[in-house]
Amino acid sequence: MTTLALRILKQMHGPNVRLGAVADIVPVGTSREKPAPAFLRGLVLPIGDPGGPFEPLTVAVEPGRYLVQATLPSGEVLTEEIDATGPEMVSVNLVSEESPHEWLGKLQALGGVPSWRMRKARRSILGVAPVARPLDVHVLWFEAVTSKARINDWLKLSSTVSEQDLKLLFGSLKKTGRLKSVFANDDYEKFEIADIPAADAGGIPPVSLKALLGTENPSGRSRHYLALEDDTGIRGLAVLPLPWPYSNQNDSRAGQQMPVQIVLREPAPGSCFAESPVQPYISVDDPDVGALLGFLGRLDLQSAGSILVQAAQWLYEKVMNPLAAAAGGYILLAAGGLRGVESDEWKDWVKNLANWFEWLPDGSIQLAWLKLNSISPEDEAAVTQEKTIEAIVEEARELLLRALGAGVPLYSNGVRLLVDALTLVANHEEYRGKHETAEGNVTARALMLARWLSRRTDPSQPFTAIRI
Amino acid sequence: MEWRMTIVLTKEKEKIGTHVLVIGVGRYPFLLNGEGPPEKQFEYHGGMGQLTSPPRSALEIAQWFATKHKHPDDKPIRTLELLISGTPNTFMTSAGQMIAEPATMENIRKAIKRWRDYGNFQEQNLLIFYFCGHGVSTGNEQLLLAEDFGSDKDDPFRHAVNFSGLHIGMRDCKAKWQCYFLDACQTVSQTYLDQFGYEAQGESIIVRPVSSNLRNTEQPVLLACALGAKAYGEEGKASFFTQALLSAFKGAAAKDNGYGEWEINTAQLRGGLNAFLERMVERGYGKEQVARDDKLAKPFSLHALDGKPLIPVDVACGDRDRTEEISFECIHSGSVVRLSPVGGKLRIWEIELPPGEYDFRARHRSGEPPPPSRDGVTVHPPHQLVLFKCP
């Protein structure tokens, strides 16, 4: 056997990404007559700075020629044909494209900003000179408590949706801090909290934003938002994934708060942020979860599926980091569980995520989706089928209303799933003639509110960012 | 002989197979510069007018499915339906020339219901939905505009398909494998949000109760561009997205199944599509257009290639403006297999190659010392960029 040592090289300007890119190793020159040695699919490679030491992933292969193809969360595909016929270890260092700035390296690999090449091509075509320009927005950090009672009242009483109603989902925002720009290059800006107390900022790199902890309130955990504000008021809100502790128990950093990165970038023309001078992009600097979030943002289940075991682990360890657990839940939900594992234990973990962390809408949404997708042909064939199915739909409906009561989903995929699940319930009620009952009216209003939120959500980001 | 009809092809439709519905809308009589009566023009057109790409795009896609599609698990085309508003709209079949029915809301509604019914024949069926025309996107929701959009000023969206609603309604269809291609602008229309608010939602067409089919269905959606961007095309040609899709089917989205046989699956498609769309940016066609998925879905096979894939390869100087000073050659197994054309303002030399290892050489046309050659370049789907450091 020959050993391959595989890794992705990228200017990172910060910690490496342990679970970074997803790679296949395919033998070259095979045919039906010449059977291939075993394929290696879905290997997870680290991404790291070429200047610093970091461990490659090592795998043993039968001697031969192989094609190594790795997909980064950004969608970039790196390919190299290698000769592994000898007994010695073969180092495979795949080099990622250059990013617009070194400090954007990691974010570009994870899909937050385009590569330097694409940006340059676009700029040369449009004739736009890369110039730094002053921003006329303020970036604020808010803490908020969503009022379930107020949302429930609205669902029972209101017949239309307005901007004011959307703000219901955010609850009462309490300004926590104003952010100051750390970097400003061309059309990118990076922020940190300006007025964070020194004691809280200790030990955190200067470009990071760290959660102020201990802000729990009697009704549950408070949520954190970033707001873009100009002379006319708040123009955009983005959910901040705070607090985000590192959950890898085998690492000395376990339990340590991971920095959240905020980058403001030029909005795509016509996007929901088009009328703002900038668009926020939120990411979390977690060496294990960062790539999964990138794949989730791109809705690349094939690649994300390679991190299924880790996703299940985050879901299992939800108490450690419920926000990361929710990301794992979305992947497992779409993949239909772990490959080659018959056990449905993961469904219990989703249930626990929903029930133990009611303040996090994403768990309730996932459990509702799971329930709606649980109806079997046996349920339909049973004598009591109508009763069984109605009970399942009702449980899902209650969970979806609970999710709305908890406010804006952390993940944009949650917004999408919330609308889809409520649509299924509303369609079902309409089909069964229940849509004109009091319950049917509440479902219709919940769907109206969810769609209102969905229409303002940027679907290209993992975390929910909303134009106001 | 010439027929005006929707159904282009139907063959043993109750057996396991592939059912394709293709819709191309270029003519919008009630939108900007439309041929409808002036007094009936839709005031809130939002700049949307007549399109030349969708009819051609729809024809090319339909033609591809009718003549080239081959499913690796033997799911032959059982039905192919085509709706086109605008010209060209004639499709050649073995029985003669056919004129596609226009893509009015009524025709779209009927065709979608038929297509769903075909899907319901077999659980292992593959359904393909393709739409090219105007689209309005608001966040996660997409509305696809039929030919008669705007004809009812009081309720314009009764002539639009609420794609998100259709997509969720189709989860109740028995066909496990469903793939959707939306070649439409994903432009957010503040005009519509302001003017029509929540009512701007279109018709879902399929509204079904919750059933056991939900848990079986895989429904990937590929959108022509990122939210807010506009889908682009050249006048009278198939749209960039459609060209990209055809390029992806040719090889840019191919994957080796382990026996030297190449297949196209839904997960590889985005990479293949974007390789082509990036070319468009490099060629100078303005704003970046990126294909993206709209749903998390398990990948599945769509097509099996007969031979080796053809992979887009772009060769250029790092500084693209220097490329025209250089001539390139591509060498495989010791022989020159491609030579760059002489003359012209070449920014990028675009070729297609089968997978393998290639050497690339560059020579200054003026006789200056050449930049270092690029040997042992691995060409593999989705795309290969070969850049030279031109002095």
Side-chain angles (χ1 to χ4, degrees), chain B residues 121-279:
Chain B
F121 282 132
Q122 296 284 345
E123 193 177 297
Q124 289 302 320
N125 274 345
L126 167 64
L127 298 186
I128 303 284
F129 178 91
Y130 170 92
F131 176 91
C132 186
H134 279 306
V136 174
S137 173
T138 50
N140 282 319
E141 297 194 357
Q142 285 92 33
L143 303 174
L144 310 177
L145 308 191
E147 175 193 301
D148 36 1
F149 177 78
S151 59
D152 183 340
K153 290 181 182 178
D154 299 322
D155 189 9
F157 288 92
R158 59 184 277 245
H159 296 109
V161 178
N162 178 336
F163 176 75
S164 314
L166 169 66
H167 187 258
I168 200 77
M170 283 298 292
R171 282 188 77 85
D172 180 60
C173 180
K174 257 192 202 157
K176 184 171 181 177
W177 316 109
Q178 303 174 15
C179 188
Y180 297 80
F181 299 101
L182 302 188
D183 188 356
C185 296
Q186 301 297 315
T187 308
V188 176
S189 175
Q190 192 60 44
T191 311
Y192 293 135
L193 283 179
D194 292 345
Q195 188 64 31
F196 301 102
Y198 180 71
E199 298 306 318
Q201 61 177 327
E203 188 185 336
S204 300
I205 300 176
I206 308 286
V207 176
R208 298 287 302 163
V210 170
S211 77
S212 65
N213 287 332
L214 295 183
R215 63 185 195 169
N216 292 326
T217 321
E218 294 300 334
Q219 300 179 293
V221 182
L222 272 151
L223 300 175
C225 48
L227 177 83
K230 289 185 176 178
Y232 293 93
E234 292 167 278
E235 189 79 11
K237 287 189 178 174
S239 68
F240 290 159
F241 178 80
T242 299
Q243 290 182 48
L245 195 55
L246 295 172
S247 163
F249 285 151
K250 232 162 111 181
K255 191 162 190 166
D256 187 339
N257 69 359
Y259 296 102
E261 298 161 352
W262 296 81
E263 291 180 6
I264 310 289
N265 79 23
T266 52
Q268 302 297 113
L269 268 176
R270 180 165 52 173
L273 285 165
N274 281 334
F276 188 92
L277 294 173
E278 278 191 17
R279 267 188 167 180

Side-chain angles (χ1 to χ4, degrees), chain A residues 32 69 122 125 269 380 451, chain B residues 141 201 212 228 281 288 381:
Chain A
R32 291 259 175 209
Q69 188 165 60
R122 196 199 309 174
I125 291 157
E380 287 176 323
R451 289 187 63 205
Chain B
E141 297 194 357
Q201 61 177 327
S212 65
V281 177
E288 189 178 357

Side-chain angles (χ1 to χ4, degrees), chain B residues 94-113:
Chain B
S94 53
Q97 187 170 267
M98 187 211 92
I99 297 178
E101 292 255 39
T104 59
M105 192 63 198
E106 182 58 21
N107 285 343
I108 289 175
R109 188 183 298 116
K110 285 179 181 166
I112 285 178
K113 288 186 180 225

Side-chain angles (χ1 to χ4, degrees), chain B residues 16 18 54 58 105 207 235 268 306 337 365:
Chain B
I16 292 176
T18 302
M105 192 63 198
V207 176
E235 189 79 11
Q268 302 297 113
D306 273 330
V337 291
R365 294 188 197 279

